[in-house]
Amino acid sequence: YAADLALSKTAAPSPVVPGEAVTWTMIVTNDGPSVSNNVVVTDVLPTNVAFDSASPDCIEASGTVTCSAGLLNSGASATFEVTGILDAAFTGELVNTATADSDTPDPNDDNNEATSTSDTDPYADLSLTKTALGEGPVAGGLLAFELTVANDGPSTATNVVVTDVLPPAMTFDSAVADCVHSAGTVTCSHSALAPGDSTSFEITVLVDASIANGDNLVNEATVDSDVSDPNPDDNVGDAT
């Protein structure tokens, strides 16, 4: 007697968002001709995926999910779902392979393995706040600003850049090491900002001596990164 098991595997959503859940659906089918005994599907999760949940007939240990279909008649199938959380910093294609096996001889091992390959689409909701430090501007004096970028996720933001175009009444004086100045524009960089994290930059300017008491000075900055931002409205910070 023999039973030809066939395994298929799909992933959702597509593409997968780093930092969020991905669910794999695995279907094992017995193409016969005999009953297949003690059918087991094994899914070794990718190293960048943390196990979250699975179908009731599945157990997880050290990143390996084992799902039991028991006895599978010829023509019957069993479906299992496995859900994991993709690392927020993951980039590239997500590949996951599972295998099906049983105690019954299988005349065709070629279809006992199934691989799901998914594209990834990271995005990160960055926000920028800008605060004037000290007691406020004094004509002819120095004024410092703190610019704070926060990542509300779900993915890691890479190549984070804050751009501050100084108004005519302000002249660049100094900034922290991660910032550079050129022709009145200050650019501050951070290589990677994980979800839930924030980073700050400090810029100091010289206020024009001709500014009169009571004049409002507005300084606006923006933040951007290499990943998409679902909410660009909070990517601008200003201080008055």
Side-chain angles (χ1 to χ4, degrees):
Y1 66 102
D4 179 17
L5 293 181
L7 183 65
S8 66
K9 185 172 191 176
T10 57
S14 180
V16 181
V17 178
E20 293 195 337
V22 53
T23 297
W24 289 280
T25 300
M26 300 174 292
I27 303 175
V28 56
T29 302
N30 181 5
D31 291 331
S34 304
V35 171
S36 189
N37 294 300
N38 190 27
V39 176
V40 175
V41 174
T42 304
D43 186 358
V44 179
L45 297 178
T47 56
N48 299 96
V49 173
F51 175 77
D52 182 68
S53 63
S55 299
D57 292 325
C58 302
I59 58 173
E60 184 269 342
S62 301
T64 297
V65 182
T66 305
C67 303
S68 300
L71 183 149
L72 205 58
N73 290 318
S74 178
S77 62
T79 300
F80 306 103
E81 288 189 348
V82 176
T83 299
I85 307 299
L86 179 59
D87 188 278
F90 183 84
T91 58
E93 289 185 332
L94 178 63
V95 180
N96 188 3
T97 299
T99 57
D101 200 2
S102 77
D103 291 341
T104 304
D106 192 321
N108 178 23
D109 290 336
D110 292 341
N111 56 1
N112 287 28
E113 183 177 279
T115 298
S116 166
T117 302
S118 304
D119 292 329
T120 54
D121 183 22
Y123 63 85
D125 180 13
L126 295 179
S127 61
L128 177 64
T129 57
K130 185 171 189 177
T131 307
L133 304 178
E135 297 181 358
V138 176
L142 296 176
L143 176 64
F145 294 98
E146 184 178 61
L147 300 91
T148 301
V149 182
N151 182 5
D152 293 328
S155 307
T156 295
T158 55
N159 192 25
V160 177
V161 176
V162 174
T163 304
D164 188 349
V165 180
L166 299 178
M170 297 181 186
T171 302
F172 176 78
D173 178 76
S174 62
V176 293
D178 293 327
C179 301
V180 295
H181 168 256
S182 176
T185 297
V186 183
T187 304
C188 304
S189 302
H190 190 80
S191 60
L193 193 62
D197 285 355
S198 63
T199 187
S200 295
F201 309 98
E202 188 170 315
I203 299 170
T204 301
V205 299
L206 178 66
V207 178
D208 194 292
S210 65
I211 295 298
N213 289 336
D215 285 351
N216 283 331
L217 296 179
V218 180
N219 187 8
E220 184 177 275
T222 59
V223 63
D224 200 2
S225 78
D226 284 347
V227 303
S228 300
D229 193 320
N231 180 27
D233 292 343
D234 56 0
N235 289 24
V236 178
D238 59 59
T240 301

